[in-house]
Amino acid sequence: MGNDNIIVSTRIRLARNVNGLPFPHKLAEQPARQIVDSVEKALSPIDRFTRYDMSGISQLESTLLREKHLVSPDLVKECPYGAALISADENVSVMVNEEDHIREQVILSGLSLDQAYDRINRIDDILSKKVDFAFDGRYGYLTACATNVGTGMRASVMMFLPALTINNMIESCINDVGRLNMTVRGVYGEGSKAEGYLYQISNQHTLGLKESEILDSVKAAINHIAEAELHARKLLMRDESELKDRILRAWGIVTNAYKLSTAEAMQLLAMIRLGGYYGYFAIKDYDDFQRLVTDCQPASILRRGGAADADGRDVLRARYVSSALGGLCVKKI
Amino acid sequence: MGNDNIIVSTRIRLARNVNGLPFPHKLAEQPARQIVDSVEKALSPIDRFTRYDMSGISQLESTLLREKHLVSPDLVKECPYGAALISADENVSVMVNEEDHIREQVILSGLSLDQAYDRINRIDDILSKKVDFAFDGRYGYLTACATNVGTGMRASVMMFLPALTINNMIESCINDVGRLNMTVRGVYGEGSKAEGYLYQISNQHTLGLKESEILDSVKAAINHIAEAELHARKLLMRDESELKDRILRAWGIVTNAYKLSTAEAMQLLAMIRLGGYYGYFAIKDYDDFQRLVTDCQPASILRRGGAADADGRDVLRARYVSSALGGLCVKKI
């Protein structure tokens, strides 16, 4: 099948706001801090959550959280009273005082829309008992941006789409799912220039839709794209010697280079992941493989070594990726 | 230091013609064949020589001889009665009916001008007893081209000059030795675009010079260039991480690629040879390493496998180079 090679992870987030308070960009410090406190308190019975106040952590720490998709770039850069509460397993992150007062988020590996929805629902239930959410009988949950009004839910799936990208079929695929109320963007980089061939597919708006309808339409879009990707992977096999050469060279470079930039490491790892699909490599665990992609990002590398400059970081990255890959992946041809 | 990495091989040839006969391009078939017969007969007591008549061998065979530098491209293409007599160890080749009636050639590995001269002298002595050479008391040996008149000797050394090439210092180095009556050309490709960074340095003309003077001037030029190359290799170390990265990637590609063109194989092997100089690799034997460069050439690869097209040949080449390199070279870092 190959779905585990194509579908990387699932994320659901709910946007919520506190009744009777201005939205965060107009909110004063004291009430903003109070929201963080009350969310922290409400979450404490569920799990061990760590609190990160954006104003109180280093740039390295906040970049690390961003690289893991646990906080948004906006929370780090634009929100003076922004905070995040993150579960020990890093599957749950609740951002406070971003665009909305509260953004609950669950990330799970693979295609896990129903499981993610169950989990976020339980969190939302508990929070709703301690926090007075702004809710309108006719419109649903009220949010800072109109596209989130209603369920406040965005369901997104990260997909690995190398063959559609290489064959220049990704644009038409993006157009197809656009008609299904879906939006596609590169996880790293933008649009068709997605680094590492990683794309995020998510519902575009929520107003007038039930949660189950959103989930169904995301599932339909994902199935459509996954089938297109599988077809494109068959097309790539028409010039198998070219494909094999490209993939094997990626392996040769990643396991031997003295330096690797983030973008190049992502590109080479993507080719190896694709090689896993064709049986050129045995990849033990795709979640671990994806973690390696995250661990290639600048702050993650910086945390491992003490390299002062970009060149030194590239040397550390090459060493790290090569050794980590050794435990994850075996060349079969 | 490092001379075995820089100096690949030494070649000396003597141009001779038979008294009273027109030069080859005006020579009829019968006398042309008679020269081949008499040279073959004269050589037989010295060693076991194999005779190749260009008109009687396949294109694959003649290309193989050319790739090993045992015959000239002209002998293969332009000389209807051309032939070569080649010793069992392939160190001696006597071409007949090329530009001159007889061209005696000795190739030895490394810097071996004196040894090569001794060997060619013994061959020339024996031939001169059976063949009546065209010789003029005032000018010396008479040859088809005026630049060879006199000793008829050309001494050339094949040098591996990657650092001078990468640093764009090769042109000025060529100009320097041009003043010393030397000529420099790429062994594969031409001029400064020499593939595999391999250059042939040889004396430009012979008239009015004694053999020992030619040898001395070639030695002086070689020393000058080798010193310049060593200096350029030190300069490359100023950006060691860049250099190391380039060399280690070459290793990664050559040991993993599914296909390799001749030009790319030569380029990658050249980087690995340079890596041997810096201690990144232990290269067991530079002669064997150089044989690998010859064995990458199209006809040599074709002889090993039965690939019908260039793409198939590139696949065979990649497999061959990678496995041969395994026995020749060990990565040290």
Side-chain angles (χ1 to χ4, degrees):
Chain A
M1 245 318 285
N3 261 357
D4 57 339
N5 192 293
I6 294 177
I7 297 173
V8 177
S9 62
T10 303
R11 174 160 55 158
I12 296 188
R13 72 114 168 93
L14 300 176
R16 299 289 183 256
N17 286 278
V18 182
N19 218 353
L21 285 179
F23 286 124
H25 70 285
K26 297 244 173 174
L27 194 62
E29 176 164 5
Q30 219 205 328
R33 299 259 186 241
Q34 278 172 353
I35 304 176
V36 186
D37 292 342
S38 59
V39 170
E40 184 179 23
K41 204 171 158 199
L43 287 173
S44 61
I46 312 178
D47 199 350
R48 196 166 58 73
F49 280 81
T50 305
R51 172 172 169 169
Y52 299 90
D53 287 276
M54 291 305 117
S55 60
I57 62 176
S58 68
Q59 208 201 321
L60 179 62
E61 276 180 293
S62 61
T63 310
L64 260 175
L65 294 175
R66 201 167 46 69
E67 288 176 357
K68 293 177 180 176
H69 305 287
L70 293 168
V71 302
S72 66
D74 278 357
L75 189 78
V76 175
K77 280 185 287 180
E78 318 263 332
C79 306
Y81 316 123
L85 292 138
I86 294 169
S87 67
D89 62 6
E90 298 191 336
N91 288 337
V92 182
S93 162
V94 180
M95 289 195 291
V96 186
N97 297 322
E98 206 239 27
E99 185 181 297
D100 296 298
H101 292 139
I102 299 168
R103 289 202 158 186
E104 311 157 16
Q105 175 182 266
V106 166
I107 308 182
L108 298 177
S109 65
L111 184 58
S112 316
L113 282 161
D114 295 326
Q115 300 92 309
Y117 180 65
D118 284 349
R119 186 139 184 210
I120 201 127
N121 237 349
R122 288 202 304 276
I123 288 163
D124 194 51
D125 280 351
I126 285 165
L127 278 176
S128 69
K129 283 173 191 145
K130 307 284 181 183
V131 181
D132 183 15
F133 287 156
F135 185 84
D136 178 275
R138 187 165 156 215
Y139 294 114
Y141 292 100
L142 301 178
T143 54
C145 176
T147 57
N148 294 318
V149 170
T151 59
M153 180 167 107
R154 178 167 259 204
S156 52
V157 175
M158 195 196 288
M159 299 184 82
F160 174 61
L161 306 175
L164 285 172
T165 313
I166 291 168
N167 285 337
N168 293 316
M169 294 157 73
I170 193 80
E171 289 294 344
S172 84
C173 212
I174 289 176
N175 289 340
D176 286 353
V177 299
R179 276 179 239 120
L180 300 169
N181 180 32
M182 293 293 132
T183 176
V184 181
R185 59 178 185 81
V187 176
Y188 301 88
E190 274 303 316
S192 61
K193 292 226 190 299
E195 278 175 14
Y197 307 126
L198 292 167
Y199 297 84
Q200 199 88 48
I201 289 87
S202 60
N203 60 308
Q204 215 149 13
H205 56 80
T206 73
L207 187 61
L209 292 170
K210 287 189 285 191
E211 284 87 347
S212 61
E213 288 170 334
I214 293 173
L215 294 178
D216 285 348
S217 64
V218 172
K219 283 175 197 167
I222 298 310
N223 279 337
H224 174 80
I225 298 173
E227 269 173 38
E229 171 67 17
L230 285 173
H231 175 65
R233 290 189 185 183
K234 280 203 191 82
L235 292 182
L236 280 185
M237 281 294 271
R238 285 187 186 167
D239 192 353
E240 191 184 354
S241 82
E242 188 63 35
L243 177 73
K244 203 184 268 186
D245 189 48
R246 244 174 113 166
I247 290 174
L248 292 176
R249 280 165 186 253
W251 174 264
I253 292 170
V254 105
T255 55
N256 285 282
Y258 183 64
K259 313 194 274 192
L260 284 176
S261 71
T262 309
E264 192 186 13
M266 289 182 67
Q267 171 63 24
L268 296 170
L269 287 174
M271 291 311 289
I272 291 167
R273 183 175 187 130
L274 182 60
Y277 172 78
Y278 291 112
Y280 304 159
F281 307 106
I283 294 176
K284 283 179 194 151
D285 186 298
Y286 279 106
D287 291 343
D288 289 343
F289 195 89
Q290 187 57 27
R291 242 185 301 282
L292 184 51
V293 173
T294 306
D295 289 349
C296 281
Q297 305 304 313
S300 300
I301 291 296
L302 208 54
R303 198 196 39 170
R304 281 172 197 281
D309 58 0
D311 199 60
R313 215 149 59 223
D314 287 352
V315 173
L316 287 177
R317 182 178 294 109
R319 202 176 303 155
Y320 171 68
V321 174
S322 169
S323 89
L325 205 56
L328 266 179
C329 189
V330 180
K331 187 178 165 187
K332 303 292 276 183
I333 55 168
Chain B
M1 243 318 291
N3 263 356
D4 56 342
N5 193 292
I6 295 177
I7 297 173
V8 177
S9 61
T10 302
R11 175 161 53 159
I12 298 188
R13 71 117 169 91
L14 300 177
R16 300 290 182 255
N17 286 279
V18 181
N19 217 353
L21 285 180
F23 286 125
H25 69 286
K26 298 242 174 176
L27 193 61
E29 178 166 2
Q30 217 207 330
R33 299 260 185 240
Q34 278 173 354
I35 303 177
V36 186
D37 292 342
S38 59
V39 170
E40 185 180 21
K41 203 172 158 198
L43 288 172
S44 62
I46 311 177
D47 199 348
R48 196 166 57 76
F49 279 80
T50 304
R51 171 172 171 170
Y52 299 89
D53 286 278
M54 292 303 118
S55 59
I57 63 176
S58 68
Q59 209 200 321
L60 179 63
E61 275 181 292
S62 61
T63 311
L64 260 174
L65 295 175
R66 199 167 47 69
E67 288 175 357
K68 294 178 180 174
H69 305 288
L70 293 169
V71 302
S72 67
D74 279 356
L75 188 76
V76 175
K77 280 186 287 180
E78 319 263 332
C79 305
Y81 315 124
L85 291 140
I86 295 169
S87 68
D89 61 8
E90 298 191 338
N91 288 338
V92 182
S93 162
V94 179
M95 288 195 292
V96 184
N97 297 323
E98 206 238 27
E99 186 181 297
D100 294 297
H101 291 139
I102 299 169
R103 288 200 159 189
E104 310 158 17
Q105 173 181 269
V106 166
I107 308 181
L108 298 177
S109 66
L111 185 58
S112 316
L113 283 161
D114 295 326
Q115 298 92 310
Y117 180 65
D118 284 348
R119 186 137 184 211
I120 201 128
N121 237 348
R122 287 203 303 276
I123 288 163
D124 194 52
D125 280 351
I126 285 164
L127 278 176
S128 69
K129 281 173 195 149
K130 307 282 181 183
V131 182
D132 182 16
F133 288 156
F135 184 84
D136 178 276
R138 188 165 158 213
Y139 293 115
Y141 292 100
L142 301 178
T143 54
C145 176
T147 57
N148 293 316
V149 170
T151 58
M153 181 166 105
R154 176 166 258 201
S156 52
V157 174
M158 195 196 290
M159 299 185 82
F160 175 61
L161 306 174
L164 285 172
T165 312
I166 292 168
N167 285 336
N168 293 317
M169 295 157 72
I170 192 81
E171 288 294 345
S172 84
C173 212
I174 289 175
N175 289 340
D176 286 353
V177 299
R179 275 179 241 121
L180 299 170
N181 180 30
M182 292 293 131
T183 176
V184 180
R185 59 178 185 81
V187 175
Y188 301 87
E190 273 305 315
S192 62
K193 291 224 192 300
E195 278 176 14
Y197 307 127
L198 292 167
Y199 297 84
Q200 199 87 48
I201 289 86
S202 59
N203 60 308
Q204 217 150 10
H205 56 81
T206 73
L207 187 61
L209 291 170
K210 284 188 286 189
E211 283 87 347
S212 61
E213 288 170 333
I214 293 172
L215 293 179
D216 285 347
S217 64
V218 172
K219 283 175 196 166
I222 298 309
N223 279 337
H224 174 80
I225 297 173
E227 270 173 37
E229 171 66 18
L230 284 172
H231 176 66
R233 289 189 186 185
K234 281 203 191 80
L235 293 182
L236 280 185
M237 280 295 271
R238 286 188 184 167
D239 192 351
E240 191 184 355
S241 82
E242 188 64 34
L243 177 71
K244 204 184 268 186
D245 189 48
R246 245 176 111 166
I247 290 174
L248 291 177
R249 280 167 187 252
W251 174 264
I253 292 171
V254 104
T255 55
N256 285 280
Y258 182 63
K259 311 193 276 192
L260 284 176
S261 70
T262 309
E264 192 186 12
M266 288 181 68
Q267 171 63 24
L268 296 169
L269 287 173
M271 291 312 287
I272 292 168
R273 183 175 187 133
L274 182 60
Y277 172 78
Y278 290 111
Y280 304 158
F281 308 105
I283 295 176
K284 282 178 195 155
D285 185 298
Y286 280 105
D287 290 343
D288 288 344
F289 196 89
Q290 186 58 27
R291 241 183 302 281
L292 185 50
V293 173
T294 305
D295 288 348
C296 281
Q297 305 304 313
S300 300
I301 291 295
L302 208 54
R303 197 197 38 171
R304 282 173 196 280
D309 58 0
D311 200 62
R313 214 148 59 221
D314 287 352
V315 173
L316 287 177
R317 181 179 293 109
R319 201 176 305 154
Y320 171 68
V321 173
S322 169
S323 89
L325 204 56
L328 265 180
C329 188
V330 180
K331 188 177 163 185
K332 303 292 277 184
I333 55 168

